[in-house]
Structure formats: structure tokens, C-alpha cells
Amino acid sequence: MEKEDASKQSREVLHERCKQVIRVHRKGVAVMEIVAQTGLSWTAVNTALRLYKAEGSGALKPCVRGKKPGSGRRLMVSQELTIQQTICDKRPEQLKMDFALWSRPTVRQHIELAHGIKLSIRAVGNYLARWGLHHKNPSKKHMSSALKLSRLGLMNSIRPLKPEQKPKVRKFTGATRRR
């Protein structure tokens, strides 16, 4: 049987394979024969046997792999909330910053001034994406139609949206919430 990488298998399949390893080992089969029968690597078979001997069958239960959600963040939740609130409620110039709109460098500078934490531009972009904030550039199609209307003097004749048509978005400058 061809060997398979245990890290590529789902947790449930790996759990069944580990139980199979334990059943075969109880019958007195050698580890290398178990490797040949199950297709698991020697390391995976030995790990299953070692865990079973140390902690019993409860140690073989599938568990969540990888990092825990939210680990590795430099900002605490309370800091994130205050930054979000500031971005939504104020413009950078109200905070005596040299920028007119919120951008990643502006948010980066605000985080450094307010909390003393230096972040990379990419990390700031990841935080903004996680918070649902992104920079919204008007498309060329909409810009050209607005330019034509303004040249014709029809800009004032455009009717505003009805109240039920208006999107329910908190008002802030430089970014919009992603839907």
C-alpha cells in the first residue's frame, strides 16, 4: 500500500486510521507491518501508539489544527474598537494629523500615536479588511457619466435616493464598510 501524508487527511479519517492502528497493534502486529497495512508513515503510526499508551483512547480524538483564531494580533480588542470608532467618527485633520482622508498610512500613524504600537502597512491593511473597512474608488464608468452630466449642467437635476433606497452605512470619511 502506498504511504499517505497524515497531515493532508481530514480529522475524522485520521481518527479512524489511528483507531485501526491501535486495533492492529493489540493483535501483536509489528510497527513496520502496521505501516505497510495502513499506508500511514512510521511517524504517524508511532505517534498514535505513543499517545494511546500515554493517555488512552481519548488522546486520539480529532482536534482543531493550526493557529487559534485571533492569535498573533498586536492590538487588543479594546484598542481595535477605539480605532474603528475614531475612523468612523472623525477625520484625520480633526486629530491634528497631516492627512485629509483615512488611508493605510494614516491609520498606521494614528495607531502609533494613540497606542504606541508600530505596524506594517500590510498589517494595517489586514486589520482594515478584518473590520470591513476598505477604500472605495469611484469606477471610471460612473466618473465619466457624472462628468458628462456636470458639463451639461444636469448635475442638479439628479434626484436623490428615496429613504428606503439609501444604504444603511455609518458615516465616515475615506472608507466604506464592505457588504
Side-chain angles (χ1 to χ4, degrees), residues 2-171:
E2 198 171 309
K3 292 183 182 174
E4 298 176 23
D5 188 5
S7 64
K8 304 278 189 243
Q9 296 177 350
S10 70
R11 292 180 293 173
E12 291 78 22
V13 171
L14 188 59
H15 181 60
E16 289 302 319
R17 305 283 295 276
C18 287
K19 289 195 304 188
Q20 178 187 9
V21 166
I22 300 304
R23 282 193 303 266
V24 173
H25 185 68
R26 281 185 181 167
K27 293 179 182 176
V29 179
V31 173
M32 289 310 291
E33 289 180 31
I34 296 173
V35 169
Q37 289 177 6
T38 60
L40 292 173
S41 67
W42 181 85
T43 308
V45 170
N46 271 330
T47 302
L49 292 173
R50 183 177 36 82
L51 284 173
Y52 179 76
K53 287 176 185 174
E55 301 172 29
S57 61
L60 298 177
K61 289 183 181 176
C63 59
V64 179
R65 295 178 181 173
K67 294 191 310 184
K68 293 180 181 177
S71 66
R73 291 189 185 184
R74 305 255 329 259
L75 295 173
M76 293 185 296
V77 176
S78 60
Q79 292 172 330
E80 289 184 32
L81 292 174
T82 57
I83 293 167
Q84 289 177 43
Q85 190 68 33
T86 304
I87 291 172
C88 291
D89 293 343
K90 297 182 180 179
R91 293 189 313 268
E93 55 195 22
Q94 291 174 322
L95 299 172
K96 298 187 172 135
M97 297 174 77
D98 295 334
F99 302 95
L101 297 174
W102 288 109
S103 62
R104 290 182 302 164
T106 312
V107 174
R108 177 186 184 191
Q109 184 180 354
H110 172 65
I111 292 170
E112 189 174 344
L113 291 173
H115 302 288
I117 298 172
K118 287 188 176 185
L119 295 175
S120 67
I121 293 292
R122 183 175 181 173
V124 172
N126 289 342
Y127 275 110
L128 291 172
R130 189 179 296 126
W131 299 336
L133 303 172
H134 65 97
H135 182 68
K136 187 175 181 183
N137 286 331
S139 66
K140 289 183 180 182
K141 180 177 138 182
H142 292 101
M143 287 300 290
S144 63
S145 62
L147 184 62
K148 287 176 187 174
L149 289 174
S150 66
R151 285 184 183 159
L152 296 172
L154 300 174
M155 202 63 168
N156 295 334
S157 65
I158 297 174
R159 290 176 285 163
L161 292 173
K162 295 178 183 174
E164 62 270 1
Q165 290 177 329
K166 288 186 179 178
K168 296 178 181 177
V169 177
R170 290 173 61 185
K171 200 173 189 180

